[in-house]
Amino acid sequence: AQSVTQLDSHVSVSEGTPVLLRCNYSSSYSPSLFWYVQHPNKGLQLLLKYTSAATLVKGINGFEAEFKKSETSFHLTKPSAHMSDAAEYFCVAHPLYNFNKFYFGSGTKLNVKP
Amino acid sequence: DVKVTQSSRYLVKRTGEKVFLECVQDMDHENMFWYRQDPGLGLRLIYFSYDVKMKEKGDIPEGYSVSREKKERFSLILESASTNQTSMYLCASSSDRGGDTEKLFFGSGTQLSVL
């Protein structure tokens, strides 16, 4: 069985400070992993994806994530938060053996204070 | 720019009504999905389709059906709407070809309220 756990439902940071959004996955197989972002009243947009080529993945808007197999984690980070980063973020796992199955975490709402 | 379009941003329906949610993609994608998004639960798959007239149940298909008569269009049908179907509905598509076969492209969502 596969599951994705986002450890924080809400994260609040000040503008200019680092962002850390935590994600753990459980799987019998190494899945592809993704982070999606959803701004208010918008659909989800892909931020970055990990597919085993490199453990540190860079995405759009300065975000990056590091895959740590020993910890089954795929945390999302950004060195300096911007007001426009306020949104909901979803960690997603895609098992390689099931092309149509995507496992979504429950989401983390990021609030950025001025 | 690639696009997944959901026909309505907001819908208000009454209990027992038959409801149609429409989704159109212009990317010639093979796969299309309907998800339901509820606070604290993430996205849950209702149905997906991997080809015209082909469909498979997702995790929560009860109370829903789908139709895919053309490649670009995937419809979600609530046969008899109930209040527990009040939710945000998201359509997505993906391709079986090229370098982004695992990437989902999402519509903006339809917020359905059933009264």
Side-chain angles (χ1 to χ4, degrees):
Chain A
Q2 180 132 17
S3 68
V4 175
T5 303
Q6 291 184 242
L7 297 158
D8 307 292
S9 59
H10 291 82
V11 169
S12 186
V13 300
S14 297
E15 192 175 20
T17 64
V19 175
L20 170 64
L21 305 183
R22 298 181 294 166
C23 173
N24 285 96
Y25 71 95
S26 64
S27 175
S28 302
Y29 307 90
S30 293
S32 293
L33 295 164
F34 307 79
W35 277 98
Y36 281 81
V37 60
Q38 185 181 31
H39 287 95
N41 300 316
K42 296 282 180 68
L44 280 71
Q45 178 187 14
L46 181 67
L47 265 184
L48 51 82
K49 70 175 184 179
Y50 164 76
T51 54
S52 79
T55 56
L56 183 63
V57 182
K58 293 187 184 299
I60 62 172
N61 300 332
F63 283 94
E64 60 183 39
E66 186 173 8
F67 173 71
K68 292 186 177 180
K69 188 172 183 178
S70 60
E71 299 175 8
T72 61
S73 69
F74 189 57
H75 301 335
L76 182 69
T77 60
K78 183 173 181 177
S80 176
H82 192 272
M83 295 297 292
S84 61
D85 295 327
E88 189 161 19
Y89 293 79
F90 292 92
C91 183
V92 183
H94 182 219
L96 300 179
Y97 57 84
N98 194 339
F99 80 97
N100 54 38
K101 195 66 175 173
F102 293 83
Y103 294 88
F104 285 79
S106 55
T108 299
K109 286 189 176 175
L110 175 65
N111 178 46
V112 182
K113 298 174 288 186
Chain B
D1 200 13
V2 297
K3 215 165 181 183
V4 178
T5 303
Q6 294 183 232
S7 55
S8 304
R9 183 70 185 94
Y10 298 96
L11 271 181
V12 180
K13 296 292 181 181
R14 295 201 178 276
T15 302
E17 279 193 76
K18 191 169 186 175
V19 181
F20 293 86
L21 303 183
E22 305 287 347
C23 175
V24 177
Q25 49 96 2
D26 65 359
M27 298 166 282
D28 199 36
H29 283 174
E30 292 77 16
N31 309 306
M32 296 188 75
F33 305 78
W34 275 107
Y35 288 92
R36 172 176 169 159
Q37 182 181 12
D38 298 289
L41 296 178
L43 274 68
R44 293 178 291 167
L45 181 64
I46 304 171
Y47 268 97
F48 75 94
S49 168
Y50 52 91
D51 200 352
V52 175
K53 297 190 186 295
M54 306 303 289
K55 60 187 179 185
E56 286 197 22
K57 294 180 180 179
D59 300 315
I60 52 165
E62 297 78 18
Y64 303 94
S65 62
V66 290
S67 171
R68 192 162 180 206
E69 296 296 318
K70 293 184 177 182
K71 190 175 185 180
E72 67 270 18
R73 186 181 296 271
F74 192 35
S75 303
L76 180 69
I77 303 153
L78 286 66
E79 298 290 342
S80 178
S82 63
T83 54
N84 62 13
Q85 293 178 309
T86 291
S87 187
M88 171 68 80
Y89 291 88
L90 290 169
C91 175
S93 70
S94 72
S95 174
D96 285 341
R97 297 164 279 131
D100 275 333
T101 54
E102 296 178 287
K103 183 176 177 179
L104 290 171
F105 292 83
F106 283 88
S108 297
T110 296
Q111 178 63 52
L112 173 67
S113 297
V114 183
L115 306 178

